[in-house]
Amino acid sequence: MQYRIPGRSPVLRTLSLAVALCLSGTALAQSGDATTELDEIVVTGTRTEVAVRDSLVPAQVIDREQIQRSQARSLLDLLKGRAGISLSNQGGAGKITTLNIRGTESDHVLVLIDGIRIGSATAGLPALQDLPIDQIDRVEIVRGPRSSLYGSEAIGGVIQIFTRRGGKGLSRHLRIGGGSNDLREASGGFSYGGERGWLGADAAYQKTDGINACRGSGTLFQGCFTDEPDRDGYRNLSLNVRGGLRFGSAWTLEGSFLNADGENEFDGSFTNRSETLQQVIGGKLRYAPSERLNVVLSVGRNKDHSDDYLGEVSTGFFQTRRDLASLQADFGLAEGQLLTAGLDWQDDVVKSDTEFAGTSRDNKAGFVEYQGSFGAHQLQASLRNDDNQQFGNHTTGSAGYGFAFGSGFKLTASYATGFKAPSFNDLYYPFFGNPDLKPEESRSINLGIAQYADAWNWTFNVYQTKVDELVSYDAAIFLPNNIEDARIRGAELTFDIRFAGFDLSTQLSHTDPRNRSVGGNYDNVLARRARNTARIDLDRGFGAFRTGLTFNAAGERYDNAANTARLGGYATLDLRVEYAINPSWTLQARANNVFDRDYETVAWYNQPGREYGLSLRYQQAD
């Protein structure tokens, strides 16, 4: 039974509460002396360092302190309900999860790890569920197209994950924990930073017996096409190593390695277990002889492997390898003016026991970007050309303008185009692929207003995105085809404040993703997108104690293009508390979904009910 909130939308009712909290919080903040990290740096939106308040595209940073305070046990729990983000999960921890930004497709989101783009070349999606949160130092979220800097996939936005790092001196950390559904966790690591170099390593382990992922029925031939009422577990073992060395005053060499091995159980009549591998290797050589010049050569490799089983019998494997190289130069033309130029290269290779007609594809690209600040005015423009081995040349661009008009207020406007090359599954999967597919294309506009103060800030953005040549199943040829167009409109409100010892973060989103293709589904809502979402985080410290809550809500969504399979809206409340035993040791406890709400984000696939967790954390820095 699905839990459904009475009335039209949980988010609309939440909006009234959030606005009231914001207004009262503003009054308190004006008389307080709290400070926020409004000068937090984001690099993903421009491929250069920019303060969040100076970004001309909507951007957000989640740092390590926020990650630890949230007590999130997965990257997806951390991202759930953030502005513009909607998630769909197939049965709990470790199960396939797709992420939509601003109502675009789940494969319209580019994901980077330490600057290396990741994802399966066959499925066209990154395995977000397999990225261990204990290895993450910070997350940057950029909403809106960035194809003019990154190429394919960045139609909805970009998420960049930075793995754990350390500062100067020696630091150590350790965490052990457990919880509902036989959750067992352990992680630990160290980092050392000196005058000429740094080194660090982290390992993490997570295992849970899980929940029954799917309530599907073989007789109904729906959901997972089988009745398998068992618990579907998940295990992840990960290692992260990084290091760097400075040569003289101008040269820096650094490298990183992330390896995450997983085992995932699920319900299915053909396959019900997978062994997975996510591996990211990267290296950078930087030359920065002055503040006016910065040149970086980057190389990297991403492996995405999945070996599938029915019980202990192998049913197939999919292995993709992505090699990348980039050369980027930043030139300081004058005070407040920066010119960036670069070259990117990418090569995707597929290995599988499934016979693909095509198994490799490379992409060469060049881009240029200008950023300028003239008093209260800001400008940003970028242009990129991608030469794809299969699809030829594709040019994308973006332009942005910002105006600061006193009292911390700022207006922004931006326009950008994007594109997405079809995946190998779309093109070549036997009997289901169409090698004649064309890239998907998009055009987006964003208008924003924001205000930044010493202790609080708020942003409000409205946007429209049009996507042409969407790849969808074509019943006329029984294959995927470029038959759909989409128009997406939406708005996002964020508010962050520190007052009287409280930390309050409010994020509200509305998106209206419509199918604009001629036919029976015209003007229907695109499948598996919640049109309204909300997230409120509230935390407060009381000496050695700290308490907090996270409220998440999502409106109704449809599970199919015809809009006949409706999934009701839901709201959940998570509670947390921690106690600092001493400066090094902290005890944390949490209760998620405390009202035990029953809901689904994909039809037939269960979500966890009420869960508890307890962990002990150690941190020490010299």
Side-chain angles (χ1 to χ4, degrees):
M1 176 180 178
Q2 298 172 7
Y3 172 76
R4 298 181 180 178
I5 302 172
R8 295 177 59 85
S9 167
V11 177
L12 294 179
R13 292 192 300 280
T14 304
L15 178 60
S16 301
L17 171 62
V19 171
L21 287 170
C22 293
L23 294 176
S24 61
T26 301
L28 288 169
Q30 289 172 338
S31 61
D33 58 358
T35 60
T36 56
E37 297 182 26
L38 298 179
D39 291 326
E40 185 81 62
I41 299 299
V42 60
V43 300
T44 307
T46 60
R47 295 181 66 146
T48 61
E49 293 186 352
V50 175
V52 171
R53 67 163 74 206
D54 293 328
S55 176
L56 297 182
V57 293
Q60 181 180 9
V61 176
I62 309 171
D63 61 23
R64 187 64 209 172
E65 179 184 352
Q66 292 172 294
I67 294 172
Q68 290 183 168
R69 189 172 65 198
S70 72
Q71 298 193 42
R73 298 316 317 135
S74 72
L75 172 63
L76 301 164
D77 284 343
L78 184 69
L79 296 177
K80 184 188 303 181
R82 305 279 176 180
I85 290 179
S86 178
L87 296 172
S88 299
N89 170 266
Q90 296 184 11
K95 305 306 176 278
I96 294 175
T97 304
T98 56
L99 181 150
N100 306 91
I101 294 184
R102 291 189 159 187
T104 58
E105 298 288 333
S106 55
D107 59 357
H108 290 169
V109 180
L110 174 64
V111 178
L112 308 171
I113 296 182
D114 294 329
I116 305 299
R117 63 194 303 151
I118 68 167
S120 166
T122 49
L125 299 170
L128 297 174
Q129 65 276 1
D130 289 326
L131 301 180
I133 194 167
D134 281 340
Q135 305 287 15
I136 297 174
D137 186 68
R138 60 189 262 128
V139 180
E140 294 183 1
I141 305 168
V142 176
R143 305 189 298 277
R146 292 286 86 192
S147 286
S148 61
L149 292 174
Y150 295 102
S152 177
E153 299 162 33
I155 288 179
V158 183
I159 294 176
Q160 181 155 200
I161 297 160
F162 295 88
T163 54
R164 293 188 75 142
R165 304 190 179 263
K168 287 187 176 182
L170 178 64
S171 64
R172 294 86 71 193
H173 67 89
L174 175 70
R175 196 186 73 84
I176 56 174
S180 301
N181 299 314
D182 293 320
L183 174 67
R184 294 89 84 191
E185 297 179 303
S187 65
F190 79 95
S191 66
Y192 175 78
E195 291 298 324
R196 303 302 258 173
W198 62 95
L199 177 68
D202 295 277
Y205 173 81
Q206 183 183 69
K207 186 173 184 179
T208 175
D209 289 351
I211 62 173
N212 182 30
C214 178
R215 61 178 180 85
S217 168
T219 57
L220 292 175
F221 202 66
Q222 297 185 72
C224 46
F225 309 113
T226 187
D227 279 320
E228 200 172 348
D230 61 343
R231 301 177 74 180
D232 299 296
Y234 176 69
R235 174 195 56 79
N236 188 294
L237 178 63
S238 60
L239 174 68
N240 175 35
V241 180
R242 67 276 178 196
L245 188 63
R246 298 182 184 91
F247 301 91
S249 60
W251 294 90
T252 305
L253 178 67
E254 61 181 280
S256 61
F257 172 79
L258 173 65
N259 191 91
D261 284 292
E263 183 176 10
N264 185 32
E265 299 172 348
F266 48 93
D267 292 335
S269 55
F270 303 103
T271 298
N272 62 7
R273 184 172 68 88
S274 290
E275 294 179 0
T276 61
L277 169 69
Q278 291 294 315
Q279 190 177 93
V280 183
I281 307 172
K284 292 182 181 180
L285 178 63
R286 184 185 304 273
Y287 175 64
S290 70
E291 294 183 356
R292 292 291 184 88
L293 177 62
N294 182 61
V295 182
V296 179
L297 173 65
S298 304
V299 295
R301 169 173 286 185
N302 170 225
K303 291 183 178 180
D304 183 298
H305 292 183
S306 176
D307 295 292
D308 301 326
Y309 300 86
L310 182 62
E312 298 301 321
V313 179
S314 175
T315 59
F317 71 91
F318 294 89
Q319 301 179 358
T320 68
R321 188 194 73 218
R322 175 168 291 171
D323 292 322
L324 305 110
S326 175
L327 178 64
Q328 178 176 322
D330 305 319
F331 305 94
L333 305 178
E335 184 67 27
Q337 297 188 58
L338 183 67
L339 179 67
T340 298
L343 300 171
D344 287 341
W345 172 81
Q346 174 179 324
D347 184 56
D348 289 342
V349 177
V350 174
K351 291 184 178 180
S352 175
D353 54 359
T354 298
E355 293 291 334
F356 283 82
T359 57
S360 66
R361 179 173 70 194
D362 67 25
N363 190 94
K364 306 177 186 70
F367 63 91
V368 62
E369 177 188 37
Y370 170 78
Q371 300 175 72
S373 179
F374 306 90
H377 304 272
Q378 281 182 263
L379 297 174
Q380 184 273 338
S382 56
L383 189 69
R384 177 181 172 112
N385 180 261
D386 285 86
D387 182 10
N388 188 281
Q389 184 177 2
Q390 181 172 12
F391 300 107
N393 288 284
H394 206 97
T395 301
T396 52
S398 70
Y401 170 75
F403 177 66
F405 53 97
S407 300
F409 281 97
K410 183 178 180 179
L411 288 173
T412 58
S414 61
Y415 174 81
T417 60
F419 87 103
K420 165 68 170 64
S423 70
F424 280 78
N425 280 0
D426 291 333
L427 293 165
Y428 303 123
Y429 199 90
F431 308 109
F432 295 97
N434 180 0
D436 296 323
L437 291 175
K438 296 178 289 186
E440 301 166 301
E441 301 178 341
S442 72
R443 306 173 306 283
S444 298
I445 188 170
N446 186 94
L447 300 175
I449 183 171
Q451 186 180 22
Y452 297 93
D454 290 338
W456 52 275
N457 68 86
W458 61 267
T459 67
F460 180 70
N461 287 274
V462 294
Y463 61 88
Q464 176 174 283
T465 297
K466 292 184 177 181
V467 187
D468 301 326
E469 307 290 358
L470 272 173
V471 175
S472 184
Y473 179 75
D474 189 343
I477 61 175
F478 304 103
L479 293 173
N481 203 358
N482 299 98
I483 61 172
E484 290 194 355
D485 299 327
R487 186 210 65 202
I488 307 167
R489 292 172 176 166
E492 298 153 353
L493 172 67
T494 71
F495 186 88
D496 294 277
I497 186 172
R498 291 183 178 177
F499 66 96
F502 285 92
D503 291 281
L504 171 67
S505 176
T506 302
Q507 303 180 63
L508 306 173
S509 304
H510 170 75
T511 184
D512 188 35
R514 296 285 176 173
N515 188 329
R516 307 301 285 182
S517 307
V518 176
N521 295 328
Y522 179 80
D523 209 37
N524 282 358
V525 177
L526 297 180
R528 294 186 180 175
R529 280 89 156 166
R531 285 189 287 174
N532 297 300
T533 61
R535 177 178 176 130
I536 297 177
D537 292 277
L538 182 64
D539 292 88
R540 176 97 162 58
F542 302 89
F545 287 92
R546 188 172 188 90
T547 62
L549 64 85
T550 295
F551 171 79
N552 261 302
E556 67 177 18
R557 68 186 75 192
Y558 295 97
D559 199 61
N560 60 348
N563 286 187
T564 56
R566 177 185 177 274
L567 301 179
Y570 65 89
T572 62
L573 180 68
D574 303 335
L575 302 178
R576 53 186 172 270
V577 62
E578 63 180 59
Y579 172 67
I581 301 171
N582 58 43
S584 299
W585 292 92
T586 302
L587 184 65
Q588 294 182 314
R590 70 184 187 278
N592 294 343
N593 191 4
V594 294
F595 296 113
D596 199 26
R597 298 308 190 195
D598 184 15
Y599 66 98
E600 296 176 359
T601 57
V602 177
W604 298 90
Y605 288 91
N606 299 314
Q607 290 299 296
R610 185 186 298 112
E611 293 183 310
Y612 302 98
L614 184 68
S615 65
L616 180 65
R617 192 179 76 235
Y618 168 80
Q619 291 186 144
Q620 180 69 47
D622 297 336

